[in-house]
Amino acid sequence: MTDKQSVVIIGGGPAGLTAAWELIKDGGADKYDVTVLEGTREFGGISRTVKHNGNRMDIGGHRFFSKDDRIMDWWKDVLPLQGAPSYDDKKLGREHDMEPGGPDPEVEDKVMLKRHRVSRIYWNRHFFDYPISLSPNTLKAMGVKLTLVAGFSYLKSMIHKLPETNLENFYINRFGRKLYSMFFEGYTEKLWGRHPSQISADWGSQRVKGLSILGVLKNAFQKLLPKKRSNAEVETSLIEEFWYPKYGPGQLWETVEHNCEAAGVKVVTDATVVEVRQVAGHISSVITEDSEGNRKEIHADQFISSMPVKDLVDAIDAGEQAVQGKPAPADMVHIAEGLPYRDFVTVGLLVKHLRLKNTTDIPTLGNPPIVPDCWIYVQDPGYKVGRLQIFNNWSPYLVKDVDNTVWIGLEYFCEEGDSFWNMSDEEATKFAISELTRMRVISGPADVLDSHRERVKKAYPAYFDTYEHMDELIEYLDGFGNLYCVGRNGQHRYNNMDHSMATAIEAVSNIKSGKTSKKNVWSVNTDKSYHEQK
């Protein structure tokens, strides 16, 4: 009998559960003793699905799309692609390529749907393309004068490039100062609570990648050509089809967790890591605490952490009994404690119908038919809400009565403990209803049938304050050898779900091969443009 290597994974979100499955699949239980520690009683992190009175809410909205074939195949292995039309596509005659022999979503639950992506900007009570483009619709909504000003401003930005020392200059270089001031400046401040001039350009290079007006126009032109492009050739922000689990992203992660346990992974919920102990420069064990204050020490050979870096560093030899190790150095603690986050509140409103009219040529459910958008970006600074989700359009199975009601999520960016965060459910719901009414999305409070409010801590790692010293923190954490930081919060990086998963796959690869450099784990999603080749 061979000795198994023990691995403790902190966090049951996409990164943590991906790591667990990568270790345990294909007979991995013979080589690895894997334990997942999850602080809550749910799986998926911010990729979970919240259930409320028969309706389901996707926290943050998650398109299942990646340039990385490993990830697409991974998802497809967990939930197979649909082989027959979904309820709304069947009823409306909308077409997708079906997977031969794939499950019928009208009959089976474990199925991945193919969905059309429609996202638009709502500004000054007009809809604009998202990302912003110089389409006939945009020109009509902006008017001739504003269009000319924006056009000349863009031309100037092509000739006179600003140094990309901050996010403001990053956007101006790609869209011109006028469009930046209209569509990016206020929205960015709404999202981050800071002016774009105070935010690192790294955020733009990770999230917007190679996107620019030229990219948008190129994409629009290529749509007119008969040649079918692969997703690998399209900027991430421009994709038009994505996959989506029948019951939202939480369904996928709940399935992964179930598969992990069935294959031999030990999963412990209500287990918050409060101490990380070290011996001779290696992590030796972690101390967990449940909601009743009970503590437990768990030893392991390897540790994979997706907990927030701030909390991880704070937990290193934090206990009075940790005599063998030593707390993190003061300068590392200073960097970690200064890493900022934006927190997030989403208010779900179930309404009878929308006041917004579907003026597109895309057929939708509802009487009258609803707008086809998955997301509506509210880049108008006159409203606190940042984004609207229309859950009916993500999957018809998220909504209990998809033909006669509309289930909307209003996303608000805030700080934990601020006045908006501290509102009661009733106050937050009343505020959301008033904004939707003022925006003319609904007619008024009488349209609202039900509501639900969710608060999410540390949803968005932010790129300011001590973030500029992140490299020093990485060097310190990598020095432990048997500690791998993965995922959005584990790396303090605004990763998409596929990137978070890729960090976990790289970490597991290192554990299996004995590779000591963690450069591959940290370099996921650091390329300045998103042009992986398929």
Side-chain angles (χ1 to χ4, degrees):
M1 180 178 164
T2 57
D3 286 340
K4 290 185 186 180
Q5 201 172 11
S6 55
V7 184
V8 160
I9 297 168
I10 305 171
L17 289 173
T18 297
W21 183 246
E22 286 296 303
L23 282 164
I24 209 74
K25 70 179 185 181
D26 302 328
D30 296 334
K31 299 176 184 175
Y32 301 101
D33 182 3
V34 183
T35 303
V36 174
L37 305 173
E38 169 53 41
T40 70
R41 289 186 167 87
E42 297 174 279
F43 299 100
I46 61 169
S47 299
R48 70 185 187 276
T49 302
V50 175
K51 303 172 185 73
H52 174 74
N53 291 346
N55 296 302
R56 288 174 165 85
M57 175 187 282
D58 179 348
I59 302 293
H62 292 84
R63 296 192 308 251
F64 284 68
F65 165 81
S66 181
K67 300 282 179 100
D68 188 337
D69 275 332
R70 295 177 303 175
I71 306 295
M72 297 292 275
D73 290 341
W74 206 98
W75 285 329
K76 197 165 53 174
D77 285 343
V78 179
L79 294 177
L81 286 169
Q82 67 185 92
S86 57
Y87 174 76
D88 52 352
D89 285 344
K90 186 188 292 185
K91 188 169 181 179
L92 298 164
R94 298 188 308 206
E95 290 190 4
H96 286 278
D97 292 333
M98 294 293 116
E99 202 71 9
D104 180 348
E106 287 287 87
V107 178
E108 297 181 53
D109 286 343
K110 285 192 175 181
V111 55
M112 186 76 84
L113 306 178
K114 292 185 176 184
R115 308 299 291 171
H116 289 296
R117 173 197 180 279
V118 181
S119 297
R120 289 182 294 174
I121 293 167
Y122 190 74
W123 183 84
N124 198 22
R125 291 183 180 150
H126 287 287
F127 278 110
F128 291 81
D129 295 335
Y130 178 84
I132 193 68
S133 68
L134 296 178
S135 68
N137 177 53
T138 305
L139 306 185
K140 182 182 176 185
M142 283 173 57
V144 175
K145 185 180 176 183
L146 201 51
T147 300
L148 286 172
V149 172
F152 283 118
S153 171
Y154 170 66
L155 290 173
K156 183 181 177 183
S157 75
M158 289 184 71
I159 299 161
H160 177 62
K161 291 292 181 191
L162 298 171
E164 293 197 352
T165 50
N166 56 49
L167 190 57
E168 178 172 61
N169 290 357
F170 176 92
Y171 278 132
I172 291 170
N173 281 346
R174 281 155 185 77
F175 295 94
R177 190 172 290 276
K178 186 63 183 177
L179 287 178
Y180 157 74
S181 68
M182 289 170 64
F183 294 108
F184 296 98
E185 187 173 20
Y187 184 77
T188 303
E189 197 157 6
K190 190 190 293 189
L191 173 56
W192 294 112
R194 298 282 182 101
H195 190 267
S197 61
Q198 296 178 270
I199 300 174
S200 166
D202 281 3
W203 186 84
S205 64
Q206 274 184 240
R207 298 298 292 188
V208 186
K209 298 290 184 185
L211 192 63
S212 65
I213 285 187
L214 283 178
V216 173
L217 292 175
K218 179 184 173 188
N219 185 65
F221 176 71
Q222 286 182 319
K223 277 189 216 168
L224 303 174
L225 303 177
K227 174 178 169 281
K228 187 174 181 180
R229 290 176 300 157
S230 72
N231 275 339
E233 299 172 64
V234 187
E235 290 295 347
T236 313
S237 299
L238 299 172
I239 63 153
E240 284 151 30
E241 185 179 87
F242 60 91
W243 298 349
Y244 195 77
K246 177 177 176 177
Y247 290 125
Q251 182 193 11
L252 181 121
W253 295 113
E254 287 159 18
T255 304
V256 173
E257 187 276 331
H258 176 79
N259 293 347
C260 285
E261 278 204 291
V265 173
K266 185 182 180 187
V267 179
V268 187
T269 58
D270 189 20
T272 299
V273 171
V274 291
E275 271 185 56
V276 176
R277 294 185 176 175
Q278 53 169 316
V279 174
H282 276 60
I283 304 300
S284 59
S285 65
V286 294
I287 309 292
T288 63
E289 185 174 285
D290 66 18
S291 50
E292 293 178 359
N294 300 309
R295 292 193 166 206
K296 185 178 180 183
E297 184 171 12
I298 303 169
H299 292 265
D301 300 314
Q302 305 281 354
F303 295 84
I304 297 175
S305 171
S306 65
M307 69 190 284
V309 177
K310 177 186 280 191
D311 298 341
L312 173 67
V313 174
D314 192 48
I316 291 174
D317 282 324
E320 293 172 17
Q321 293 81 29
V323 290
Q324 290 178 295
K326 56 182 180 178
D331 58 338
M332 294 299 114
V333 172
H334 172 75
I335 295 168
E337 289 186 348
L339 289 174
Y341 296 84
R342 281 296 264 178
D343 306 294
F344 172 77
V345 171
T346 185
V347 179
L349 296 178
L350 185 70
V351 301
K352 297 173 187 173
H353 44 71
L354 299 180
R355 192 173 171 187
L356 295 174
K357 299 283 189 288
N358 183 4
T359 57
T360 72
D361 56 3
I362 302 167
T364 54
L365 296 176
N367 186 22
I370 64 172
V371 289
D373 307 75
C374 300
W375 274 315
I376 297 173
Y377 290 81
V378 185
Q379 299 195 209
D380 194 320
Y383 304 97
K384 182 170 177 60
V385 65
R387 227 167 39 175
L388 305 178
Q389 281 195 81
I390 301 177
F391 297 114
N392 304 51
N393 294 327
W394 287 90
S395 164
Y397 306 103
L398 295 182
V399 187
K400 189 176 180 182
D401 183 0
V402 74
D403 287 303
N404 300 302
T405 60
V406 191
W407 180 223
I408 306 174
L410 290 86
E411 300 181 355
Y412 290 96
F413 313 110
C414 56
E415 302 283 344
E416 183 184 347
D418 70 13
S419 58
F420 191 82
W421 180 272
N422 287 337
M423 279 185 178
S424 67
D425 285 354
E426 293 74 21
E427 289 169 335
T429 300
K430 188 177 177 183
F431 185 89
I433 291 170
S434 71
E435 288 218 303
L436 273 196
T437 305
R438 203 156 50 87
M439 288 166 64
R440 299 183 184 173
V441 173
I442 61 174
S443 298
D447 284 345
V448 179
L449 302 168
D450 194 8
S451 65
H452 179 70
R453 191 262 298 254
E454 281 282 326
R455 294 188 289 191
V456 183
K457 298 177 184 178
K458 293 186 172 71
Y460 302 112
Y463 288 38
F464 37 84
D465 295 345
T466 58
Y467 171 79
E468 63 182 322
H469 301 293
M470 189 67 198
D471 285 351
E472 297 167 42
L473 202 56
I474 291 171
E475 187 180 358
Y476 165 69
L477 292 168
D478 282 357
F480 287 108
N482 66 336
L483 173 66
Y484 298 83
C485 295
V486 298
R488 180 183 277 201
N489 277 333
Q491 295 195 339
H492 198 84
R493 187 173 287 157
Y494 195 168
N495 284 329
N496 279 331
M497 184 167 47
D498 61 326
H499 301 128
S500 293
M501 293 171 65
T503 63
I505 291 170
E506 295 294 335
V508 170
S509 170
N510 286 12
I511 289 171
K512 287 181 175 179
S513 67
K515 182 177 179 178
T516 56
S517 168
K518 301 193 183 76
K519 190 176 179 183
N520 58 319
V521 183
W522 288 101
S523 64
V524 170
N525 192 30
T526 54
D527 53 324
K528 293 297 182 187
S529 182
Y530 202 50
H531 284 311
E532 288 103 330
Q533 296 298 311
K534 279 201 170 185

